[in-house]
Amino acid sequence: MPAPVRVPAPAAPADTADSAAPASPTPGPAPTKSAWPTLTRPPADARPRPEETRIERAFGRAFRRVTGSAIAPYQSAVVRIGFAATWLLFLLREWPNRQELYGPNGPWSGDMARRLLADNQAFSVLTWSDGRGWFELVYTLAIVSSALLLVGWRARAMSVLFMVGVLSLQNRSIFIGDGGDNVIHLMAIYLVLTRCGQVWSLDARRAAKRAQRGASGLPERDITGVVLWAVLGLFLAVAQVMGLSGLSWFGAGPFPGVGWGLALWGLWCAHGVWWAARRYAPGEPRVVLDMLGKLAHNGAMLVIVVEVCLIYATAGWYKIQGSRWQDGTAVYYPMHLDYFSPWPELSRVLADSGLMIMLITYGTVIVQVAFPFTLFNRRLKNVLLVAMICEHLSIAFLLGLPFFSLAMITADAVFLPTVFLVWLGARVSAVRDRVRPRRPRDGEHGRTAAAGAP
């Protein structure tokens, strides 16, 4: 009799529980397809965020743009170098005549200056004393601060001293100047709010060395900066305690309702807070202060751009209203004045050409009126910028106004392309190294003109 055959049990269907799972001692009913799935709450990061609108994205990009970086570092460096050099050369040229122009020997006496400053609420430290020693000290400090700002040594502090020197001398005798002094007057105030020492300065070299020390683990030391800050604060405190004129807390000052005393103390405190945050608080406080500094720099650069556009726009539209500018003969008359004719023969040759006089007259008006409208067209703006620089060079050469022309050319330099300024800095560095080669220090290999001074 044959043996019985065992029949294998049927395999479990595929839609039952996982066969690989270990058997439970008390197995329950197997889940089926009709069982409801368990709903889990997604984490907070995975929740869908509302989509940003176009206006919100635009505001976000603008905010990151104005607080993320200090724009136009090369243009601000050119403005710093140009105006410091212009004021320095003017003070050096007028050194033999300084007593008659701004000192106690001038026709505009100290009492007259004090009465005038009491009416127009301007600021000048020269009204604190009529002594010759005080005047010599202020004049010398103005020269020193201009030279130090020119090379970019402690640009933040030197920009404040440069502003004080410009305001003190120009407000002491407001009738001295040729128009360029008004431009220097305004730009000296704007430079205080800019980071004009980012490139082409001794500050940039010191920052590179500080980065090297930080990479090597060496502590940062800035004894010179601390001493300079303490000395300036002590001098300001003494002047405040003595109740000298022009140091009011509220009233007339650089801003409405903010006196010069409050403004100077605010700058002094801001410099101290920034130094402390950079040394002891490298986290969020430093980031916030850095954003505020970049915002102030970018705002000041925008004000400088608008100021230059207003200068040219108002000058051009006022010229249009003059009959001599309308008939094309306005340039003819200053060329026949002895005071504005350093080269009489050359002025006479140009004045005898009616076509040249007409072209210069109409060309000046067209360039000045059209320039603010060409800022959004890079090529046309660069062409008119070259024309304006040539115009100021001709004014310096033909009419004998070098400092006015140098001040206006420096103001025009804020519109120069960054590529051209970088190329110019590289060429100047190459010439300097060819004339006076220097041995590179450790870590200085590969440094370019963008990280140092030309």
Side-chain angles (χ1 to χ4, degrees), residues 172-322:
R172 172 60 176 80
S173 299
I174 62 173
F175 301 105
I176 303 298
D178 52 10
D181 57 317
N182 295 327
V183 181
I184 298 176
H185 191 108
L186 294 173
M187 297 303 173
I189 299 176
Y190 302 150
L191 275 176
V192 174
L193 301 177
T194 64
R195 291 184 169 183
C196 54
Q198 297 180 94
V199 296
W200 297 347
S201 64
L202 297 180
D203 289 348
R205 292 189 176 186
R206 190 173 66 253
K209 295 179 181 178
R210 184 169 61 242
Q212 279 185 346
R213 286 198 299 267
S216 60
L218 297 177
E220 177 187 353
R221 301 181 63 184
D222 191 12
I223 300 178
T224 305
V226 174
V227 172
L228 179 63
W229 180 78
V231 170
L232 294 178
L234 178 62
F235 178 81
L236 184 58
V238 171
Q240 195 80 52
V241 170
M242 295 177 62
L244 300 178
S245 61
L247 294 178
S248 61
W249 291 93
F250 305 100
F255 304 102
V258 178
W260 280 105
L262 181 59
L264 294 176
W265 277 115
L267 292 172
W268 184 80
C269 293
H271 289 179
V273 170
W274 170 247
W275 179 87
R278 190 181 61 188
R279 185 174 178 86
Y280 300 109
E284 186 174 351
R286 179 177 178 178
V287 173
V288 173
L289 290 176
D290 189 50
M291 289 176 58
L292 293 177
K294 293 173 181 175
L295 183 61
H297 168 88
N298 297 337
M301 293 302 296
L302 177 61
V303 171
I304 291 176
V305 169
V306 173
E307 187 72 40
V308 176
C309 291
L310 287 176
I311 290 174
Y312 283 115
T314 53
W317 286 106
Y318 271 112
K319 286 182 174 66
I320 289 178
Q321 303 175 34

Side-chain angles (χ1 to χ4, degrees), residues 147-171:
L148 294 178
L149 183 63
L150 174 64
V151 297
W153 185 82
R154 308 287 173 177
R156 288 192 179 97
M158 290 305 112
S159 63
V160 178
L161 295 180
F162 176 77
M163 177 191 68
V164 172
V166 169
L167 298 182
S168 298
L169 292 173
Q170 290 187 356
N171 291 334

Side-chain angles (χ1 to χ4, degrees), residues 352-397:
D352 291 341
S353 175
L355 178 61
M356 185 63 67
I357 291 295
M358 184 184 66
L359 291 177
I360 295 175
T361 302
Y362 288 150
T364 300
V365 176
I366 292 173
V367 169
Q368 291 182 352
V369 173
F371 179 74
F373 300 100
T374 63
L375 296 183
F376 300 101
N377 189 317
R378 182 176 301 177
R379 294 183 178 179
L380 188 56
K381 182 261 294 183
N382 292 337
V383 171
L384 292 186
L385 187 60
V386 173
M388 288 193 304
I389 292 176
C390 294
E391 172 192 342
H392 291 303
L393 290 176
S394 64
I395 291 175
F397 189 74

